[in-house]
Amino acid sequence: MRTRYLIANWKMQLNESESESLAKQIIELLPDVAAATSSAVELVLCPSHLSLSHVADAVRGRGIALGAQDVFWEDKGAFTGEISPRTLKELGCAFCLVGHSERRQHLNETDQIVCRKTTALLRHDISPIICVGETLAERNAGQRDAVVIRQVRSALDEGRLRPVGNQRIIIAYEPVWVIGTGRAVDPNDAAAAHQLIRDELSEMFPGDVVEKNCFVVYGGSVDSKNIGDFLSIPIIEGALVGGASLKADEFVRMTEVITAL
Ligand code: PGA
């Protein structure tokens, strides 16, 4: 069975000690996390940059991976305030979000920027979690497919940016208009977008690369009550979770639901 992903996006919700304590609570509730999850589900925690080293210490050797929420595209230089992919690697990040809709919206992150960041991450063998998805206005204008296709293709430089060896690329389909609302889309609606993304990946990459290196997950108001509805559809290979990932018991319940599928 292919690995499924449960990715926690803690956004800018917690300070350092709160992040560390949440990571520790999760570990306590899942004492045998490595055995409990085995290869069925990969757990990824994405705290804010300043909390990365605290969470790294808490999860080390516990079968939980560390992810960052953003990265800069250069390794080094005069880029005030930015975070290098080299630093993320040193801190132990195996994953990093790119192109989250909140960054596209509030920080003018463009498709070109998302591509440069994705390139930088792959250069350091950090798996990019590329967030794509339409706004409500785009959906109402019948543009969902066009927006998602454009975002996926440009993040991967029209297929010129390709995972090699065991590198993984995760695409997170997140309809912008349901994020943080408590109202997820219909799982079949999400599945249709996942199919679209897989088709696009198959156009850009050889079949074995799509099969081995590419994964598509859903995000947007996922919680322990609805996660089973999404992940019981095989094409939905995981979830990117914001609000519900801030509670240790919810996060652990979601893990249990996935493991039991
Ligand atoms: P949500 O956030 O689960 O709170 O909707 C998801 C996300 O923004 O990644």
Side-chain angles (χ1 to χ4, degrees):
M1 188 210 284
R2 273 163 71 84
T3 304
R4 283 183 282 200
Y5 293 88
L6 180 60
I7 306 162
N9 176 10
W10 291 350
K11 309 194 180 186
M12 201 181 71
Q13 304 284 16
L14 307 173
N15 67 18
E16 289 172 44
S17 60
E18 289 163 343
S19 301
E20 185 177 352
S21 133
L22 179 54
K24 286 182 174 162
Q25 283 172 43
I26 289 170
I27 287 163
E28 260 172 43
L29 288 172
L30 269 184
D32 203 8
V33 66
T37 60
S38 61
S39 58
V41 50
E42 173 136 19
L43 305 177
V44 185
L45 302 183
C46 302
S48 61
H49 280 136
L50 288 178
S51 302
L52 279 170
S53 64
H54 296 262
V55 175
D57 288 344
V59 301
R60 189 163 296 117
R62 309 305 290 256
I64 298 180
L66 188 67
Q69 296 177 16
D70 184 39
V71 66
F72 192 61
W73 56 79
E74 296 290 348
D75 288 354
K76 196 174 173 158
F79 303 107
T80 304
E82 291 298 336
I83 307 279
S84 162
R86 237 170 36 136
T87 307
L88 296 186
K89 189 77 186 174
E90 280 164 14
L91 287 169
C93 290
F95 295 87
C96 180
L97 301 174
V98 266
H100 191 281
S101 61
E102 286 149 16
R103 297 195 59 83
R104 292 183 195 258
Q105 185 189 343
H106 301 302
L107 292 141
N108 294 329
E109 197 147 297
T110 62
D111 289 336
Q112 289 67 34
I113 290 175
V114 173
C115 178
R116 294 179 86 172
K117 292 182 173 184
T118 304
T119 308
L121 291 171
L122 288 175
R123 191 164 68 234
H124 288 272
D125 274 337
I126 299 171
S127 302
I129 302 164
I130 302 164
C131 304
V132 302
E134 80 288 357
T135 62
L136 188 57
E138 288 165 339
R139 169 168 284 235
N140 288 341
Q143 292 169 352
R144 179 193 74 177
D145 294 8
V147 168
V148 168
I149 290 171
R150 190 201 75 227
Q151 290 177 338
V152 169
R153 292 194 73 94
S154 41
L156 299 170
D157 199 12
E158 302 293 328
R160 286 181 285 272
L161 189 57
R162 185 171 291 190
V164 293
N166 289 324
Q167 286 183 336
R168 283 170 292 180
I169 286 179
I170 300 179
I171 309 283
Y173 170 63
E174 297 203 300
V176 178
W177 49 283
V178 300
I179 290 176
T181 61
R183 282 178 288 111
V185 295
D186 184 290
N188 293 313
D189 188 306
H194 278 59
Q195 186 63 58
L196 187 75
I197 293 167
R198 277 204 90 76
D199 290 348
E200 220 45 49
L201 292 169
S202 300
E203 282 210 358
M204 288 187 288
F205 301 148
D208 58 325
V209 171
V210 178
E211 189 52 37
K212 178 173 158 221
N213 306 84
C214 301
F215 298 85
V216 188
V217 305
Y218 169 77
S221 293
V222 173
D223 58 25
S224 64
K225 290 193 194 72
N226 63 21
I227 195 165
D229 299 336
F230 285 97
L231 272 81
S232 53
I233 302 177
I235 202 167
I236 302 181
E237 302 179 288
L240 173 56
V241 187
S245 74
L246 294 167
K247 295 182 213 110
D249 54 347
E250 260 292 282
F251 186 78
V252 170
R253 238 176 280 137
M254 287 188 279
T255 307
E256 287 164 354
V257 172
I258 300 177
T259 312
L261 283 174

